[in-house]
Amino acid sequence: MAVALALSETVRGTTSPNPPVGAVVLDAEGNVAGQGATQPPGGPHAEVMALREAGERARGGTAFVTLEPCSHHGRTPPCTGALLAAGVTTVRYAVADPHPLGGGGADVLRAAGVDVEGGLLAAEVASGPLRAWLHFVRTGRPHVTWKYAATLDGRVAAADRTSRWISGPVSRAEVHAIRSAADAIVVGTGTVRADDAWLTVRDADGVLAPRQPLRVVVGTGGIPEGARVLDDSAETLLARTREPDEVLMALAERGVVDVLLEGGPTLAGAFVRAGRVDRILAYVAPMLLGAGPAALGPSGVSTITEAHRWRVEGVTMSGDDVRVAAVPLTGEGGS
């Protein structure tokens, strides 16, 4: 299952609105016979990819899948049928499928005599590659990760609004890796005007990656002619609204599942105030400014008892910076 989990990570950002799933098939003797991950929409699911590689060696074998095999016929046939046709006798999956159409695959397999068990590495899968998709299925909204870089005293720019560079090179490279797995990057018109943000995925040499997430610019303000966000290196959506729910509804209709919010304090405050931030990734740099804009603008808090409270998922070093990952406490934020 750990191998299947790693396989699912390799396709994150390429499968939406389908989930990024990994699968490993063992032969009857317990040797790896096939591996696979979900292909872009319309392509085979992870189980089918692994079964193709396994061929006849799958008969009498075991399949490990990060998500319960689907039982419905969408753009592709059900994976339960493929597993049964291949002669797999045992299936282990991590997370149950909450989708009203795709769920129930485990029962279909059991009814056909397959030994099925779920829950293996469920927490790791649910908080990793399937986090955004599970949220999307359960709420109908894209999952929003607010990413920002700030100084030790919480500033995202100096008093003169300069902000390059607060975070270090290791953090900036990591952010491009995070962007590469997102379906969309969201900023406000203010960020475009102030920073001429490009919102692309690039390598250490500045070369554009083959796949680029959708660029989304939110707000009613103007965008300068020649702004980099309007070039042809990636698709750009201009969302002429200031309402987070309107933005997320438009993105959901496009099949966007995983959103990276990179806007400034005003846009971040609007999303937090609306309860539409589902995760925070904060890069804290060992730097002090003493003045300048804070990371978060007005978010509906006037007294300490109204504070938005979060649970820290992890704290890690990113070069000289500290990366803090946090999710809302139950009933808070975007949950």
Side-chain angles (χ1 to χ4, degrees):
M1 188 63 79
V3 174
L5 174 58
L7 286 167
S8 68
E9 285 283 7
T10 66
V11 295
R12 181 149 51 153
T14 67
T15 66
S16 293
N18 296 328
V21 176
V24 176
V25 174
L26 308 183
D27 63 18
E29 285 71 45
N31 303 306
V32 174
Q35 303 180 30
T38 305
Q39 299 302 291
H45 291 186
E47 297 94 319
V48 173
M49 296 296 292
L51 290 170
R52 284 181 181 177
E53 185 175 293
E56 281 302 312
R57 295 180 63 196
R59 191 160 301 279
T62 300
F64 289 84
V65 192
T66 55
L67 180 67
E68 178 186 7
C70 65
S71 60
H72 77 296
H73 197 302
R75 280 186 274 192
T76 59
C79 293
T80 50
L83 290 164
L84 293 173
V88 169
T89 56
T90 304
V91 171
R92 300 289 181 258
Y93 66 88
V95 177
D97 189 342
H99 199 286
L101 294 178
D107 291 336
V108 171
L109 293 170
R110 288 192 187 99
V114 177
D115 178 9
V116 183
E117 185 177 338
L120 185 61
L121 295 188
E124 291 85 345
V125 171
S127 63
L130 287 185
R131 180 200 297 263
W133 183 82
L134 290 169
H135 177 274
F136 183 77
V137 171
R138 290 164 178 160
T139 67
R141 299 190 307 270
H143 179 278
V144 177
T145 296
W146 172 34
K147 186 279 300 177
Y148 68 90
T151 62
L152 283 172
D153 54 343
R155 310 292 178 175
V156 293
D160 65 354
R161 300 287 169 160
T162 55
S163 60
R164 296 184 180 180
W165 294 101
I166 286 178
S167 59
V170 174
S171 294
R172 296 197 297 273
E174 188 174 295
V175 167
H176 278 280
I178 294 169
R179 282 182 175 183
S180 70
D183 296 325
I185 304 171
V186 176
V187 300
T189 54
T191 295
V192 172
R193 290 194 300 270
D195 299 339
D196 194 18
W198 199 6
L199 306 183
T200 52
V201 179
R202 306 179 296 279
D203 64 17
D205 297 321
V207 177
L208 290 166
R211 177 201 167 269
Q212 296 290 332
L214 175 69
R215 301 180 294 194
V216 184
V217 181
V218 177
T220 57
I223 299 174
E225 271 189 48
R228 292 194 298 174
V229 76
L230 298 178
D231 71 11
D232 60 1
S233 59
E235 183 182 1
T236 298
L237 172 66
L238 302 180
R240 293 306 192 184
T241 178
R242 295 176 178 171
E243 296 299 324
D245 278 339
E246 292 182 9
V247 175
L248 295 177
M249 183 180 301
L251 293 178
E253 290 173 354
R254 296 173 65 104
V256 169
V257 171
D258 199 349
V259 168
L260 189 61
L261 178 65
E262 292 194 9
T266 300
L267 187 62
F271 270 76
V272 170
R273 185 167 61 250
R276 295 297 181 255
V277 173
D278 306 297
R279 188 182 186 218
I280 294 173
L281 283 180
Y283 288 85
V284 183
M287 182 189 301
L288 295 172
L289 290 174
L296 185 65
S299 60
V301 175
S302 59
T303 183
I304 193 68
T305 57
E306 298 172 348
H308 304 279
R309 300 190 180 276
W310 298 72
R311 175 176 61 82
V312 173
E313 272 194 328
V315 179
T316 56
M317 295 301 298
S318 180
D320 292 329
D321 305 326
V322 177
R323 187 185 76 175
V324 180
V327 294
L329 289 175
T330 302
E332 296 279 346
S335 296

